[in-house]
Amino acid sequence: MFCFQCQETAKGTGCTIKGVCGKTENVANLQDLLIYTLKGISVFAVQARELGIVKPEINKFIMESLFTTITNANFDRSRIVARIEEGLKLRDELKQAIIKAGGTIAADLHDAATWTAPAGEFEQKAASVGVLATENEDVRSLRELLTYGLKGIAAYAEHAYTLAYKDDGIFAFIEKALAATLDNTLPADALVGLVLEAGKYGVEVMALLDKANTTTYGNPELTKVNIGVRNNPAILISGHDLKDLEELLIQTQGTGVDVYTHGEMLPAHYYPAFKKYENFVGNYGNAWYKQDKEFESFNGPIVLTTNCLIPPKDSYKDRLYTTGVVGFEGVKHIPERADGQTKDFSAIIAQAKKCPPPTEIETGEIVGGFAHNQVLALADKVVEAVKSGAIKRFFVMAGCDGRMKNRDYYANFAEALPKDTVILTAGCAKYKYNKLNLGDIGGIPRVLDAGQCNDSYSLAVIALKLKEVFGLEDVNQLPISYNIAWYEQKAVIVLLALLYLGVKNIHLGPTLPAFLSPNVAKVLVENFGIAGITNVEDDLKIFLG
Ligand code: FS2
Ligand code: SF4
């Protein structure tokens, strides 16, 4: 195996024996083969589109399969094998549809578009199609940067899709870009162009998801979220899928079972639609990587709706459920919605009733809900505070949290910021400083949490609005600095989206991606001023200098 798609990759270069995330060698290899299969399907999907053939089941399959391979989503070998088998079948059907429509199948198709094997030979095939199959390190770097951006796009597209929002232009781009990664004649410049174009679609997909979420559940609003517990049995829901949460809340009404959020599900509390549920008690715990302790002390069942799963300990494995693209061998899985039906969470609710209430690990409240609509409602106050000098600078500290000790930097950085600065955040990075009581500036909290990682879109909308209000030509003239933490592939698309919007001088940490070759990193540094981080003191001097 060779995987270097996340920030925690072994030795900062690549996982080669087993994933730091817990992914086994065979699952890693099979995920590579699944991506390879998607690339082959995409070759036909591009040709089919030219003939006016667009197959919704192909779009959905590619989207869900990309999402399946995101870090901490699916560790289940059999699920990946089943996906590859389905992919080969869909690829063949698409090829037949092209022939039927009068298209000609090229004689020199890439192996990704022609290979086939029984499931028993997948692992053997997988060994030759991974990341290292591209020998030139710059081409490999660009292909992987693009592929990881596509994984992020696919994840956000899937959330929107679940709420019945979709955009065929996004699917067409995913297919075009996947097919392009097979093209050995494509010059590096064209690959750079596709990477930047991915940023454009990153903005579009986040806008689509924002529309899906806010139309369905209302605009997030200033909310105090309880972090203590009540004395009832309860279910913990993690991941990012709001539809799963909604159905769980409906199904737990009147059962005596409470519902708490974990990790990236925290921002669900900010949506008006979920406030009516009396049993929606609060948020339990912190970011994803602390689940091994927090799932244990929660005592009740836990449902993982999207990526953010770590291999479970035996102490809570029998209380753990996956759904959607998430999977882990030996962990119970809640099946997809059958036509027009909701998911069936009754098994989880029945188990919850037999479990003791959660053990309290903290008490109090955290404040959030500062997505674009809420911040723009406070725009006068914010603009006044900037004009009067009460707010000197904003720091966008969106992104991810993670296990590594070097992420303490972000807590220390937040604490060391001058009191006349405000942090704009989204994603699970906030857990490094959202309980530090950093105070407020004239009633404006010094940590403004917009929501999940996809709500980084809100931070861009806010920046563009401020640019307009202050009559500036360039978003980089605003008193906003970017100190972003990344972990997995959704953060990659958030970064590419910010670059597309013209944001310069983003600092990215705790380490730069291992998949950036020195030359590709140079392109990002020279064109966009991307930089890493060093230490709090020196970085503050740079930011405030
Ligand atoms: Fe946390 Fe980072 Fe949200 Fe992941 S914000 S680790 O991308 O999907 O979560
Ligand atoms: Fe390693 Fe990250 Fe890949 Fe897991 S996802 S195998 S930790 S690089």
XYZ file of all heavy atoms in Angstrom, residues 1 3-10 14-15 18-23 28 70-72 403 487 489, ligand 2:
187
model
N 0.831 -1.207 0.000
C 0.000 0.000 0.000
C 0.863 1.255 0.000
O 1.990 1.224 0.474
C -0.926 0.025 1.237
C -0.233 0.297 2.567
S -1.372 0.467 3.993
C -1.969 2.134 3.819
N -0.295 5.308 0.742
C -1.340 6.330 0.857
C -0.755 7.549 1.552
O -0.107 7.433 2.591
C -2.529 5.773 1.645
S -3.892 6.948 1.801
N -0.942 8.710 0.940
C -0.460 9.951 1.580
C -1.515 11.054 1.479
O -1.203 12.220 1.394
C 0.911 10.378 1.026
C 1.006 10.700 -0.456
C 2.196 11.213 -0.976
C -0.059 10.503 -1.321
C 2.318 11.529 -2.316
C 0.042 10.819 -2.677
C 1.232 11.326 -3.163
N -2.786 10.621 1.516
C -3.837 11.594 1.248
C -4.204 12.470 2.443
O -4.884 13.478 2.266
C -5.081 10.896 0.707
C -5.802 9.975 1.679
C -7.119 9.446 1.102
O -7.531 9.830 0.014
N -7.793 8.575 1.833
N -3.805 12.095 3.645
C -4.197 12.940 4.792
C -2.978 13.526 5.496
O -1.846 13.128 5.240
C -5.093 12.167 5.758
S -4.182 11.152 6.930
N -3.253 14.435 6.420
C -2.172 15.155 7.091
C -1.381 14.259 8.044
O -0.237 14.541 8.335
C -2.761 16.360 7.860
C -1.737 17.329 8.419
C -1.234 16.922 9.781
O -1.977 16.339 10.568
N 0.030 17.223 10.077
N -2.018 13.178 8.510
C -1.340 12.351 9.513
C -0.563 11.194 8.900
O -0.176 10.261 9.603
C -2.367 11.849 10.544
C -2.943 13.007 11.351
C -3.823 12.593 12.518
O -4.083 11.390 12.684
O -4.242 13.480 13.261
N -0.340 11.247 7.614
C 0.354 10.159 6.933
C 1.689 9.835 7.622
O 2.375 10.729 8.137
C 0.549 10.513 5.436
O 0.929 9.350 4.738
C 1.599 11.599 5.223
N 2.057 8.551 7.628
C 3.225 8.088 8.382
C 4.498 8.845 7.995
O 4.797 9.007 6.814
C 3.419 6.590 8.177
N 4.175 8.991 3.794
C 3.197 8.051 3.232
C 3.043 6.823 4.114
O 4.019 6.364 4.704
N 1.837 6.313 4.212
C 1.598 5.071 4.961
C 1.884 3.906 4.025
O 1.347 3.849 2.911
C 0.154 5.006 5.452
S -0.249 6.310 6.641
N 0.544 0.074 7.196
C -0.834 0.185 7.682
C -1.088 1.675 7.837
O -0.156 2.439 8.095
C -0.940 -0.530 9.041
C -2.377 -0.661 9.503
C -2.505 -1.296 10.860
C -4.003 -1.363 11.143
N -4.396 -1.598 12.451
N -2.328 2.104 7.681
C -2.629 3.522 7.842
C -2.530 3.958 9.292
O -2.914 3.198 10.185
N -2.021 5.159 9.517
C -2.085 5.757 10.858
C -3.560 5.833 11.281
O -3.903 5.717 12.445
C -1.433 7.165 10.854
C -1.636 7.876 12.175
C 0.048 7.065 10.507
N -4.430 5.957 10.286
C -5.878 6.013 10.521
C -6.456 4.650 10.869
O -7.619 4.557 11.266
C -6.579 6.537 9.272
S -6.336 5.471 7.824
N -5.684 3.589 10.687
C -6.179 2.249 10.975
C -6.547 1.472 9.722
O -6.908 0.298 9.800
N -6.438 2.121 8.559
C -6.772 1.435 7.308
C -5.763 0.307 7.075
O -4.561 0.526 7.139
C -6.722 2.469 6.176
C -7.304 2.015 4.878
C -7.674 3.218 4.009
C -6.465 3.901 3.373
N -6.866 4.998 2.472
N -6.635 -0.399 1.799
C -5.986 0.720 1.087
C -5.822 0.391 -0.395
O -6.140 1.198 -1.272
C -4.625 1.029 1.718
N -12.659 8.581 1.270
C -12.138 9.670 2.114
C -11.613 9.079 3.427
O -12.131 8.072 3.916
C -13.257 10.724 2.355
C -13.321 11.680 1.155
C -13.081 11.473 3.643
C -14.194 12.892 1.368
N -10.611 9.712 3.978
C -10.038 9.244 5.241
C -11.125 9.056 6.305
O -11.990 9.918 6.479
C -9.011 10.279 5.746
O -8.009 10.447 4.740
C -8.354 9.815 7.045
N -11.051 7.937 6.998
C -11.954 7.633 8.133
C -13.410 7.425 7.723
O -14.320 7.657 8.533
C -11.899 8.731 9.209
C -10.553 8.796 9.898
O -9.776 7.852 9.836
N -10.273 9.900 10.556
N -5.144 14.197 15.762
C -4.511 13.584 16.933
C -3.159 14.199 17.307
O -2.754 14.133 18.453
C -4.156 12.117 16.668
C -5.161 11.255 16.033
C -4.507 9.904 15.804
N -5.505 8.898 15.540
C -5.982 8.643 14.321
N -5.534 9.303 13.271
N -6.895 7.709 14.160
N -6.735 18.278 7.608
C -6.506 16.864 7.921
C -6.835 15.990 6.715
O -5.988 15.293 6.207
C -7.316 16.426 9.159
C -7.326 14.935 9.384
C -6.135 14.234 9.548
C -8.520 14.221 9.427
C -6.135 12.854 9.727
C -8.529 12.843 9.609
C -7.327 12.166 9.758
O -7.336 10.806 9.926
N -9.510 15.137 2.985
C -9.636 15.630 1.613
C -10.719 16.702 1.450
O -10.725 17.434 0.457
C -9.853 14.452 0.667
C -8.694 13.448 0.717
C -8.751 12.526 1.932
O -9.779 11.937 2.210
N -7.658 12.416 2.677
Fe -2.290 7.038 6.068
Fe -3.986 9.105 6.016
Fe -3.966 7.325 4.046
Fe -4.904 6.661 6.476
S -5.759 8.172 5.027
S -3.568 5.419 5.187
S -3.471 7.824 7.786
S -2.326 8.754 4.579
